[in-house]
Amino acid sequence: VPWMERQGSRCGRRRSRGPPRRGLRRAITGHRGAAQRSPAQFGPIVTVLDPTPDDDDSIVEGALRPTTLTEFVGQDRVKNQLGLVLEAARRRSGVSDHVLLSGPPGLGKTTLAAIIAAELDAPMRMTSGPALQHAGDVAAMLSSLQPGEVLFIDEVHRTARASQEMLYVAMEDFRVDVVVGKGPGATAIPLDIEPFTLVGATTRAGLLPGPLRDRFGFTAHLDFYEVADLERIVHRSAGLLDVDVTDEGSAEIAGRCRGTPRIANRLLRRVRDWAQVHGDGVVDLDAARAALELYEVDVVGLDRIDRAVLEAIVGRFGGGPVGLSTLAVAVGEEPETIETVAEPFLVRLGLLMRTPRGRVATVAGWQHVGRSAPTDAPGSGQGVLPWGVDVGVHDDNDGGDP
């Protein structure tokens, strides 16, 4: 063994020892200190209900995305308002107002940006906020735009402050100021750019600075989809994927996808896989239920992490209140995973409340885990979720995050 020969040539009595501890750790892990990292530090927890796109989603979504407002399913209010803006721009034979699209991930912001470019019959250039960290990057991109081109910036709230300030003038006056030199001899050279339409997408509109947000002529917020619209999306995607799906199968998928088309398409592909391996290739009610049970997605769209959080609050802490760090230790996940992956959906369903003292399970949360709620639990009675599953009515009094 090479390391034994090297050690033996120096001192024969070290021949019986193993390799150095530091070298062994680095040989196993690939870098210094990696052996001391916890599994949660190697990346976020990804589940079948994660609304953020993965590599498979990016490939498939390109073929499933609609190309016109007529094909776009749902979001009728946004479609009508946006259609009016685009039609007016076409009749003026000019560029459209800048558009800001906000809302949770997976609802169609990127799809609408592509539709805007198609409706205006203009090319589209795509980038993201984290990629625009220097003003020079923005100046180079803006100066190379064609007349009427649509510039789409995803996660625009993550653009660097210097880049945002350069966008102020570009959006309003179609001009960029390039600074040449440093110190007292620096000179700002104004460069005119071609008229363009900026389409920004963000999941956190509140992080946008006011001057940038005010320069968007049209702002639209995308809401979660109704179950009827999701069923139409599932049927449309099944047709494009050449998958046979029944009405009952599409309804089952639509009822468990958290009101998000991206998750609906992902669940459709997983149910299709189950039907091809264990069934006759048809996505029916039995195939949908069996496949979603395999992936641990229950009737209201909760996955393993969601149920673990809810059961920990109810079973171990008597319904709460319990702090985020304590809850994370009880579940065995990182606090960031609990706060960003599990909590938003539980709060939206009314199964969980965030109060100044901590997280508290509502009556609906107690009932969902099959336990009787105490008399002092928030919320009472029975309610119906947007997709038709009975749960307890929740209290809209949402407290802060301790």
Side-chain angles (χ1 to χ4, degrees):
V1 180
W3 68 265
M4 293 181 64
E5 294 177 357
R6 291 196 301 268
Q7 295 292 340
S9 63
R10 298 177 184 176
C11 181
R13 63 184 178 182
R14 297 190 60 182
R15 185 184 303 270
S16 60
R17 295 186 181 182
R21 294 177 60 86
R22 181 182 304 174
L24 176 62
R25 181 176 65 183
R26 297 184 64 179
I28 294 175
T29 61
H31 58 86
R32 187 188 306 270
Q36 299 177 356
R37 297 177 64 188
S38 64
Q41 291 177 293
F42 285 94
I45 302 299
V46 178
T47 68
V48 73
L49 295 178
D50 191 352
T52 56
D54 54 22
D55 294 338
D56 187 30
D57 293 329
S58 301
I59 296 174
V60 176
E61 285 181 358
L64 299 182
R65 285 192 175 119
T67 57
T68 63
L69 283 177
T70 304
E71 297 178 5
F72 192 87
V73 179
Q75 307 291 344
D76 293 335
R77 173 182 54 83
V78 174
K79 283 199 309 183
N80 294 334
Q81 296 174 353
L82 184 59
L84 179 61
V85 173
L86 299 179
E87 180 62 26
R90 283 197 298 265
R91 295 189 180 187
R92 292 193 306 267
S93 299
V95 296
S96 170
D97 285 342
H98 304 297
V99 178
L100 177 64
L101 304 173
S102 64
L107 299 186
K109 296 184 292 295
T110 303
T111 300
L112 281 177
I115 289 177
I116 291 174
E119 294 285 347
L120 295 176
D121 195 17
M124 184 178 73
R125 187 174 305 188
M126 300 179 62
T127 185
S128 62
L132 303 178
Q133 295 300 313
H134 304 284
D137 299 335
V138 180
M141 180 176 297
L142 294 176
S143 60
S144 63
L145 292 176
Q146 303 178 17
E149 188 170 357
V150 175
L151 174 61
F152 174 60
I153 303 179
D154 196 11
E155 297 297 318
V156 66
H157 65 274
R158 298 178 61 187
T159 307
R161 181 57 59 90
S163 301
Q164 293 177 351
E165 293 174 352
M166 180 164 286
L167 287 174
Y168 297 164
V169 181
M171 295 172 65
E172 199 164 21
D173 300 329
F174 300 114
R175 188 188 79 247
V176 293
D177 296 328
V178 180
V179 179
V180 179
K182 296 182 179 179
T187 304
I189 302 176
L191 296 178
D192 292 333
I193 60 177
E194 299 291 348
F196 70 99
T197 298
L198 175 62
V199 180
T202 176
T203 56
R204 306 180 68 179
L207 296 183
L208 282 175
L212 179 60
R213 185 170 56 249
D214 294 341
R215 281 172 169 79
F216 287 97
F218 174 73
T219 302
H221 179 79
L222 276 63
D223 299 319
F224 290 99
Y225 286 64
E226 299 292 337
V227 64
D229 294 332
L230 291 168
E231 290 185 34
R232 293 169 56 193
I233 292 174
V234 171
H235 274 289
R236 179 183 179 276
S237 300
L240 295 175
L241 295 174
D242 196 19
V243 176
D244 294 331
V245 59
T246 64
D247 293 340
E248 294 79 8
S250 64
E252 191 70 18
I253 295 174
R256 303 195 190 193
C257 68
R258 304 189 178 207
T260 306
R262 177 178 293 155
I263 298 178
N265 290 330
R266 186 184 302 164
L267 294 182
L268 172 63
R269 299 198 301 273
R270 300 291 76 80
V271 176
R272 173 203 60 186
D273 296 342
W274 190 97
Q276 292 175 347
V277 174
H278 299 287
D280 55 1
V282 178
V283 177
D284 54 13
L285 180 60
D286 294 335
R289 288 180 174 176
L292 297 178
E293 182 180 357
L294 175 65
Y295 287 101
E296 300 181 298
V297 181
D298 66 13
V299 293
V300 297
L302 301 187
D303 62 6
R304 178 187 58 83
I305 298 178
D306 302 325
R307 289 191 299 273
V309 170
L310 197 59
E311 290 172 356
I313 295 176
V314 172
R316 300 184 186 181
F317 302 102
V322 56
L324 177 61
S325 300
T326 304
L327 182 59
V329 172
V331 176
E333 300 287 353
E334 292 294 320
E336 293 78 7
T337 302
I338 302 298
E339 190 173 20
T340 60
V341 177
E343 272 191 0
F345 188 62
L346 292 174
V347 172
R348 184 161 62 91
L349 291 188
L351 304 177
L352 183 69
M353 285 181 56
R354 292 194 296 182
T355 69
R357 298 178 58 193
R359 279 68 179 167
V360 179
T362 64
V363 171
W366 283 83
Q367 294 172 349
H368 188 74
V369 298
R371 300 196 182 189
S372 299
T375 57
D376 58 347
S380 61
Q382 288 289 328
V384 179
L385 290 176
W387 41 86
V389 180
D390 291 335
V391 297
V393 176
H394 66 281
D395 189 349
D396 291 331
N397 182 19
D398 186 11
D401 185 8

